[in-house]
Every structure is written in structure tokens, then in C-alpha cells.
Amino acid sequence: MQRLEIKINGIVQGVGFRPFVYSLACQLNLTGFIANRSDGVIVQIQGPQQAIEKFTALLSSQAPILSKPQIIYKNKIDIVDAEDSFIIKQSQTAGIRQVVVSADAAICQQCKTELLTASDRRFHYPFINCTNCGPRYTILADIPYDRVNTTMHKFKMCEPCQNEYDNPLNRRYHAQPNACRDCGPELWLCDNKNHKLSTNYPIAKAIELLENNYILAIKGLGGFHLAVRADNDKAIENLRNRKFRKAQAFALMVNDIETGSQLADISISERELLLSPVSPIVLCRKKDNSIISPLIAPHSRFQGLMLPYTPLHVLLMQGDYPALVMTSGNSSGEPIETDNSQVLAKLDTIADYFLMHNRDIFTCCDDSMVKVFDDKPMLLRRSRGFAPVPIALQSKSGKQILAFGADLKNTVSLAKDNQVYISQHIGDVENANAYDNMVQTVQKLQALVGLKPEIIVCDKHPSMMTTRYARQYDLPLIQVQHHHAHVAAVMGEHNLDGPVLALAADGLGFGDDENIWGCEFLLAKRDSFQRLGHLKSIGQPGGDKAAKQPWRMAVSYLLNTYGIPKGKELSRQYLKGVQAADINIVAEMIEKNINCPATSSLGRLFDAISALLGICIENSYQAQAAIELEYFAKDIPDSYQVNIVNKNDLAIIDPSNLIQQVITDLENNTPISIIAGKFHNYIADSSSGILCQLANKHNCSQIILAGGVFQNDILLTKTIDKLRNQKFQVYYNQKLPVNDGAISFGQIVVADAILTNTR
Ligand code: ZN
Ligand code: ZN
Ligand code: FE
């Protein structure tokens, strides 16, 4: 006989872990108990040694799919007499904050089977779930994760549901959103004037409407989607016009992997991601096909795909269409809609019909987006299914820290007890509603995590909304330079202390010299950095306006390279879609240096080239010019000659000779796909050249690539190849987006290091 005490943490709450342990102990005839602790569970187990060994082996290998148990210790303790069963001790955690809140999970196979079995009591019930699947974070208002603290509190379970909920051997034991048709949430369908359609099975009617090309707003897990069938040009055009979404690619929901495979190549890793409980949008290589409309993802090599991840989606995908566009239910720039009463007012000009339900969404979550790069998942948007699961960060300061990120692609992060809780994707907080969403998210996450911030962190940009908000706190404030935060996010994710050599390349970040930075070669540690090089600065005519109108940067580069008369002439010659008068105005701004802040942004150079090649002169969405330039780029070995100037101990890429080479190619009628290909090689050559040179000089073997520019697949691949050829270890964000979605996490990493070193 033996008795063992096992302490387990990780994700073990609300994911069926306790009933799993209970049934395992019962099967093996062991006695003892399992009890919740603030940071996990304690198990005491007693019985013959062999059975105990079997128990500990199965504990990890057979754990429920959503759980991630980590055994902290296993200790032999004294045998307890007079114990005849194994029990689940009720939570005694009032007042103690549970550390890990689990994320929302896609419908599991067992629930899916019940959903489609005519004899099952939940046949076609669109809110079926169990301890392995269903809503979590999006319905949770407070902790502990009990039904009273979720938006399910208003539904009283019927007797059969309550029995399942109370039975430790049932797979719905303590499944907080447990419900059925008799006691749970219900669905209805209305038109855009809020007239309910009379039907006893709204899903059948919704399918019929989708089959007939109507646009439906559908309430999902983390918010509303706008859905339309994917094979009808007219319907897609309609959605694009109504949503003011001219060109940005749409993600699709397909019924299964087989259908998805007709639209895109799906690798084994991509398939795994699609089928995982996170069930994100996965960017797969598009295939030529005639199944879906060419208007879905024009000018993109990728097709975003996802599988039905709620029971409602499973039922809707039974319609007679190959795929559905499932795009966030919002008007341009706004956060995703979650509220029944507001959605009608906000989306009535976009959607024809609304499929609604009365299970409230407490916290909105967009669909997460992932691609597979170098055979590993690489997050592009970390939201539903990931948030708010923390990323471990060994804190040296031990302080509780709240970080506000940056204004675009905003996330906020909370650090406590060696974990960093990163919020769902919040969006661009320049939008008033997105800003409110940020403020609310901070409050909600603070409550869930039980964070009492001691330090506030934000960007150095003085006029960012996030900076201004952070300043309102009456707490010590640390402001982190934007590109240092990008680099630190990679260091934190990969557990690097530095010094590392890094390139952070993006659209903009406020520099230490008060100029706009965006292509920065840094020698970085967690708490500090030194700028060793950058792209040569140039005027950005109109400031923010230039980010929306890439042609402005083309004019700037042409004038800078050729002087005024010739630069203007070339602008008129190659920027065909731009009015001559507009070119003149911008040229004058540059000439007289009016509203032309200097920028070293690589994103803006991509803009200039894209405009110059006639690919995109005006962005209808963020980074369109760069994304389309990548789309047109041909994979060729040729490159442009690189000019690196060393000035005041800084290595500076001077792209004037690049512009000249591009113009020469244009004069010789070189196809734009070749020019775009050569340009990508030029950027990879110049970046990796400087990185290798500086890394050798400063004895760094580790190189970091960070910033939104590295969402560019071609550029990332080529740069990494060149660096690995020189035997460097290369790191970039994988668990977090390489774009500004990682900034709040990076800010935490920097602040924690600064606090440690100044103590
Ligand atoms: Zn399930
Ligand atoms: Zn029920
Ligand atoms: Fe950035």
C-alpha cells in the first residue's frame, strides 16, 4: 500500500480534468481525493503500488484534450486509514483567483455525433457542449469558472441536464454551459428591421436564405459573423460594397478538410491546426479552382480556411454551397459586434437577415489566424481559442505589470506570477469603440486574473491613445521604445536574454530621436538597446496620410533620388492613376518640408515600390500595397545592387540606387513580377548583410527578426535562409503575431528587466 500526493498545475480548470482523475481512480480502485487549489489541483491517491504507478502514467497520457496538466511534484506521504472511496472535494477557493482561465474550444467529436443523431435528446440543438468543448472565456464574467459567473447563469438546468452536471462520471460533469432544448439558449431569425420570421427550425430557413445569396449576420462564439455563399460573384460583390471592403481577402468556412483541399493545398501541419480545438483560420496555399468566386481573395497566394467550430456552424454547413464567407460582423474599423440590440442598428445596412440567440457574449473574440511557416504554427492574430491562456515568462522583478501595447492591432498584457496574460486582438484603438473595447478588456482581464498592477507600461509615442490612457494611472510608468518592444517580444517568447542582434521592421514606431522609425538594426538586451543601423530616413508627405496613399512615398523617393524637376516628371510618368495636381502638391510639401516627418520605415519603402509598379497607389486596407507587391513577386535569383553607407557608427541602407535600378527596369519594360521579385531579394540581401556584419562585430550568434514587415512570407524565408547559411540562429515570433499584436507582451519583457536591474 502507498499514498501519493501529486500537485498539478497548468490548464486543469473547466476542462474536465477533475472528472477524468475521478474516473481513473475509480477504475483502478484507488482511494483519496482531488481538490482545487488557487493555482491548480492537489491529488492524494492511495492503493497498491502497481495501481498507483498505472494511475500516474495515465494521468498525463490520457488527460482530456483541452487540459494541459503539469505535474509539479509527486510525494510519498503517510497512509490514511478509514478511507473507502475517491472523492472530488468541492472548491474552497472563494476569494482566491484561479490562475488559468481556459479558452473557448471547438465542438468535440462526441458532441458532433450527438448533434447529428436523430434519436439523441440534443439532436440539432445548436448549443450542445461538454467539458471538452464549447464557450469559456467569451461567456465568463468572473471567476471561479462556475455557472453563476457565466452568461449561462440566467438558464436554469432541467433535471436531465442537472443530473449530467452533477455526475462525476458523466462527460458533462461541471460543464458550465451545459444545456438542452428544454432549458437552454434558443435561436431565432429576423430580418434587418427586427421582424422575427416564423419558423420552428430557424437553421433550415437560414440555410435556404444563404443558398439564395442573401447576406446573414450570424451570432457565433466570440461575436457576429457576416456570412454569404462563396461561389456567387454577385453575392460577394454585394458584401464587399455594403461592408466597404474593396479588396481585402475573405476567410472561408468549409464543411470538412476534403472540401478545403479542393480550394487550397493543406499540409499535415495545417490540417492539424484546422482540426485542433482552437479551430483558427489557417492560411493555406490557394489552388486554382472554379469552385469559389475569384473575388474572395484576389491578389493573394493564400486562402484563409476554417472548419465549423460551433454546433450552429456544423448545422449551417449542411446547406447546398461549397463554402461560406465568414467575415467579422463589424463595419469597417469597428470591433466585432456581440450584442443583439446593437447589431441590428450597426449592421442593418450590410446584412439582410440576422440569426440570433440569447446566450450572451461577455467578451468579444475575433477568429484567430495562423499560418504554418517552417513547418510550425505562426500566429497572425491571437484571439479566440488562445486568449486568455498565458505565456510563461520567468519574472525576475516579481512585479505585477499592466502593458497597453500600441494603437494599431492592439492587445494588452498582464503579468503576474511568471505568466503573461495577453488579451484577445482588440484592433485599432484610434476607433472610439475599439478604444472602449480596450478599456473594458483591461478591466475584465484584471478581474479574471486578479491583477493589482504595480507598474504601468506603454509605448514611447507621446500622442498614442494607449499612451494617453496609460498616463491616467497613478502608478509608476515605464515607456518602451516600439522596436525594442518588438524585439523583446521575441526574446521573451524564446527565453533569450541577449545581447542579440535584431532587425525590427514595420510601418512606424516613435524613435528615441523623436523621428519615425521602422527599419531598425538593434543590439538588444531585455532592458536596453543600442541602435546600430537603419534604412535612410526620408520625408513622409502628409504624415499618416502617406500610409494610406502609397503613391505619396513613391513621389518622395523619386524626388529624393532625382531632384525636383526630374523626380516630378518620373512621378507623372509612372504614377498613372494619380492626378498631376496632387503630385504637384506633394512635391511642394517635400520641397518646402511642410508636414513631411522623416521616416526610416521599411513598410513605406514597400509602399513606394508597389505604387511605382502600378500595383497599388491607394490602400483600401492596412498594408495592402505591401501585400499585393508580395503577391506579384516572382521567385527569381536576381537582385538589385545594395548600397550601405556607414555614418556616425551607423550602418545605413541608402535606397537611392535601388530606385534608379527600378526605374531603369521600368524603362526597359521589365515585367513588374520580375522587379517585385528583385526588390524582395534586395531587401533580404541588405538586411541579412548588415545583420551578419554587425552580429560578427558584436559577437552575437542569435539574430531576431521582428515587426509587421515579416508577415511577408517571401522576405522572411529569404532572410532566414541567408542568415542560417552564415550559421546564425534566427528567432521570430511564433506564439504571438510578428506585428503590433506582440507589442504589449514585449513591453512586459522590457519593463520586468528594467525593474529587476534597478532594484
Ligand atoms: Zn463536446
Ligand atoms: Zn436541459
Ligand atoms: Fe510595429
Side-chain angles (χ1 to χ4, degrees):
M1 282 294 268
Q2 260 189 10
R3 190 177 183 87
L4 216 56
E5 183 176 272
I6 309 172
K7 163 128 200 234
I8 305 161
N9 70 13
I11 299 175
V12 288
Q13 311 273 354
V15 287
F17 189 73
R18 285 180 304 157
F20 154 73
V21 171
Y22 175 84
S23 65
L24 195 59
C26 294
Q27 276 166 37
L28 296 166
N29 282 319
L30 297 165
T31 63
F33 67 85
I34 177 166
N36 269 341
R37 286 285 186 278
S38 59
D39 56 349
V41 293
I42 288 279
V43 180
Q44 288 194 4
I45 198 88
Q46 182 168 317
Q49 189 188 341
Q50 236 185 352
I52 286 194
E53 275 167 15
K54 195 157 182 197
F55 176 86
T56 51
L58 294 175
L59 197 59
S60 308
S61 65
Q62 311 251 303
I65 181 160
L66 296 180
S67 67
K68 290 198 179 68
Q70 283 174 341
I71 295 177
I72 301 303
Y73 64 75
K74 274 187 274 188
N75 292 339
K76 261 189 202 167
I77 53 171
D78 291 343
I79 302 268
V80 172
D81 298 326
E83 189 182 64
D84 52 12
S85 64
F86 189 91
I87 57 164
I88 298 181
K89 285 196 177 170
Q90 286 313 309
S91 303
Q92 290 170 325
T93 50
I96 303 172
R97 304 271 107 171
Q98 304 291 349
V99 175
V100 181
V101 176
S102 62
D104 302 87
I107 183 170
C108 74
Q109 199 48 55
Q110 276 167 297
C111 284
K112 202 168 165 180
T113 306
E114 288 181 8
L115 177 72
L116 302 174
T117 302
S119 59
D120 193 275
R121 74 183 190 94
R122 290 190 180 87
F123 177 59
H124 282 187
Y125 180 59
F127 303 97
I128 185 171
N129 66 83
C130 71
T131 47
N132 284 331
C133 74
R136 295 288 185 277
Y137 177 53
T138 52
I139 59 165
L140 188 62
D142 198 3
I143 51 161
Y145 178 61
D146 282 333
R147 188 163 173 121
V148 287
N149 289 328
T150 70
T151 59
M152 284 297 292
H153 71 91
K154 62 180 179 185
F155 301 101
K156 190 177 171 350
M157 273 184 271
C158 67
E159 211 183 297
C161 285
Q162 187 71 49
N163 288 341
E164 293 167 335
Y165 182 91
D166 290 334
N167 177 3
L169 291 176
N170 192 284
R171 65 186 195 88
R172 296 198 165 89
Y173 175 71
H174 285 193
Q176 305 305 342
N178 189 30
C180 74
R181 191 171 273 112
D182 293 333
C183 66
E186 55 183 347
L187 205 62
W188 67 91
L189 188 62
C190 64
D191 67 13
N192 54 12
K193 311 236 161 22
N194 202 12
H195 298 134
K196 242 183 186 171
L197 276 68
S198 81
T199 160
N200 47 19
Y201 188 48
I203 293 171
K205 186 72 192 162
I207 289 175
E208 189 190 315
L209 291 166
L210 286 165
E211 285 172 346
N212 287 294
N213 300 316
Y214 287 102
I215 298 172
L216 261 67
I218 298 169
K219 190 171 180 179
L221 202 53
F224 277 85
H225 280 121
L226 287 161
V228 76
R229 64 183 297 160
D231 56 348
N232 184 292
D233 292 353
K234 196 96 194 81
I236 307 293
E237 215 173 78
N238 219 349
L239 177 59
R240 286 206 178 277
N241 290 337
R242 293 189 198 173
K243 210 184 173 211
F244 300 106
R245 183 162 159 144
K246 268 199 243 162
Q248 194 173 9
F250 285 124
L252 298 179
M253 185 173 277
V254 288
N255 193 38
D256 45 40
I257 296 282
E258 290 62 43
T259 316
S261 301
Q262 295 179 295
L263 311 180
D265 286 319
I266 300 177
S267 69
I268 294 169
S269 316
E270 287 161 349
R271 181 194 161 95
E272 251 170 51
L273 276 169
L274 283 165
L275 292 166
S276 71
V278 174
S279 197
I281 296 169
V282 181
L283 292 193
C284 302
R285 303 240 153 217
K286 212 156 84 176
K287 263 186 193 169
D288 280 339
N289 72 79
S290 52
I291 302 165
I292 52 162
S293 164
L295 303 176
I296 301 275
H299 297 178
S300 171
R301 291 164 202 267
F302 296 96
Q303 177 60 57
L305 293 177
M306 64 179 148
L307 294 178
Y309 58 83
T310 69
L312 177 57
H313 296 147
V314 171
L315 297 170
L316 285 171
M317 289 313 294
Q318 294 183 330
D320 186 19
Y321 25 74
L324 288 177
V325 168
M326 278 282 194
T327 184
S328 296
N330 55 1
S331 29
S332 157
E334 298 274 319
I336 188 166
E337 297 296 335
T338 53
D339 190 273
N340 290 350
S341 54
Q342 283 179 22
V343 75
L344 275 151
K346 292 251 177 91
L347 301 183
D348 62 336
T349 54
I350 305 179
D352 300 303
Y353 293 93
F354 291 74
L355 189 56
M356 317 263 247
H357 61 71
N358 56 350
R359 188 179 69 197
D360 295 335
I361 298 169
F362 187 76
T363 297
C364 69
C365 259
D366 291 86
D367 291 316
S368 291
M369 208 188 290
V370 188
K371 73 176 172 187
V372 172
F373 184 86
D374 208 11
D375 211 33
K376 285 181 201 73
M378 183 176 174
L379 270 283
L380 299 170
R381 184 165 67 206
R382 190 181 186 273
S383 217
R384 174 186 53 77
F386 290 103
V389 176
I391 291 182
L393 178 79
Q394 210 56 48
S395 163
K396 294 181 180 120
S397 73
K399 295 276 190 208
Q400 298 195 16
I401 309 171
L402 172 58
F404 283 93
D407 278 12
L408 298 182
K409 296 196 163 58
N410 177 262
T411 59
V412 295
S413 284
L414 291 71
K416 185 191 169 188
D417 298 338
N418 296 321
Q419 304 286 348
V420 182
Y421 299 82
I422 301 135
S423 73
Q424 70 279 12
H425 163 84
I426 291 171
D428 301 346
V429 298
E430 285 158 3
N431 173 290
N433 289 323
Y435 180 84
D436 289 346
N437 183 15
M438 177 204 57
V439 173
Q440 283 172 27
T441 301
V442 169
Q443 286 162 1
K444 289 176 183 174
L445 263 178
Q446 236 177 285
L448 286 189
V449 174
L451 183 101
K452 293 185 187 67
E454 299 164 273
I455 305 287
I456 304 293
V457 202
C458 68
D459 199 273
K460 266 202 175 162
H461 201 307
S463 53
M464 270 194 185
M465 305 294 285
T466 44
T467 307
R468 288 187 217 173
Y469 188 73
R471 285 209 175 119
Q472 292 174 16
Y473 279 76
D474 192 17
L475 284 168
L477 178 73
I478 295 177
Q479 289 189 267
V480 177
Q481 199 281 323
H482 187 86
H483 301 96
H484 187 207
H486 267 304
V487 175
V490 182
M491 297 180 83
E493 197 191 308
H494 294 280
N495 217 352
L496 310 174
D497 281 319
V500 295
L501 223 284
L503 168 57
D506 60 2
L508 82 145
F510 190 75
D512 281 355
D513 59 1
E514 305 202 344
N515 285 321
I516 306 172
W517 290 5
C519 179
E520 309 308 312
F521 295 89
L522 309 178
L523 178 64
K525 292 192 287 186
R526 289 193 184 195
D527 64 345
S528 59
F529 72 95
Q530 192 189 343
R531 190 190 197 203
L532 298 179
H534 58 88
L535 178 69
K536 189 176 173 189
S537 288
I538 188 169
Q540 181 170 323
D544 286 348
K545 247 191 175 163
K548 299 195 172 84
Q549 299 182 322
W551 64 266
R552 286 170 180 259
M553 288 313 295
V555 176
S556 187
Y557 271 106
L558 286 172
L559 260 65
N560 201 276
T561 305
Y562 293 97
I564 292 156
K566 177 97 199 266
K568 262 163 82 170
E569 190 194 313
L570 287 167
S571 299
R572 279 196 293 269
Q573 189 180 343
Y574 289 108
L575 300 170
K576 291 258 165 50
V578 188
Q579 302 283 332
D582 289 338
I583 291 177
N584 287 340
I585 294 169
V586 164
E588 201 177 321
M589 288 168 75
I590 297 165
E591 215 178 325
K592 298 186 175 153
N593 195 15
I594 302 163
N595 193 14
C596 273
T599 179
S600 58
S601 161
L602 185 53
R604 297 293 85 82
L605 179 58
F606 271 83
D607 286 354
I609 302 296
S610 186
L612 205 50
L613 301 190
I615 291 171
C616 179
I617 54 168
E618 181 128 13
N619 282 343
S620 68
Y621 63 93
Q622 225 182 78
Q624 181 182 355
I627 290 167
E628 296 191 348
L629 184 64
E630 181 190 359
Y631 169 73
F632 282 103
K634 202 169 172 183
D635 190 5
I636 45 162
D638 299 354
S639 180
Y640 291 120
Q641 209 179 348
V642 173
N643 182 24
I644 293 165
V645 200
N646 285 296
K647 203 174 154 193
N648 307 330
D649 264 346
L650 286 170
I652 295 166
I653 305 173
D654 182 349
S656 322
N657 71 326
L658 163 76
I659 302 295
Q660 287 167 349
Q661 295 171 84
V662 170
I663 291 292
T664 308
D665 270 350
L666 281 171
E667 279 166 354
N668 295 333
N669 293 319
T670 309
I672 58 165
S673 59
I674 302 283
I675 303 179
K678 284 163 87 174
F679 170 72
H680 277 79
N681 289 337
Y682 164 89
I683 299 295
D685 286 344
S686 46
S687 320
S688 59
I690 294 186
L691 285 166
C692 289
Q693 186 203 330
L694 293 173
N696 285 329
K697 185 171 163 191
H698 293 274
N699 256 328
C700 294
S701 58
Q702 298 170 327
I703 290 182
I704 282 178
L705 302 174
V709 166
F710 287 106
Q711 288 171 112
N712 184 316
D713 228 62
I714 298 178
L715 182 65
L716 184 60
T717 308
K718 296 203 166 190
T719 313
I720 289 177
D721 282 352
K722 286 174 196 293
L723 295 170
R724 284 192 184 146
N725 277 340
Q726 301 295 315
K727 306 278 178 271
F728 289 104
Q729 293 155 267
V730 188
Y731 300 90
Y732 48 93
N733 287 121
Q734 291 166 310
K735 292 185 198 158
L736 291 167
V738 291
N739 59 40
D740 283 5
I743 290 292
S744 61
F745 176 74
Q747 290 172 344
I748 298 258
V749 176
V750 175
D752 184 66
I754 290 176
L755 292 165
T756 308
N757 296 346
T758 53
R759 261 210 309 202

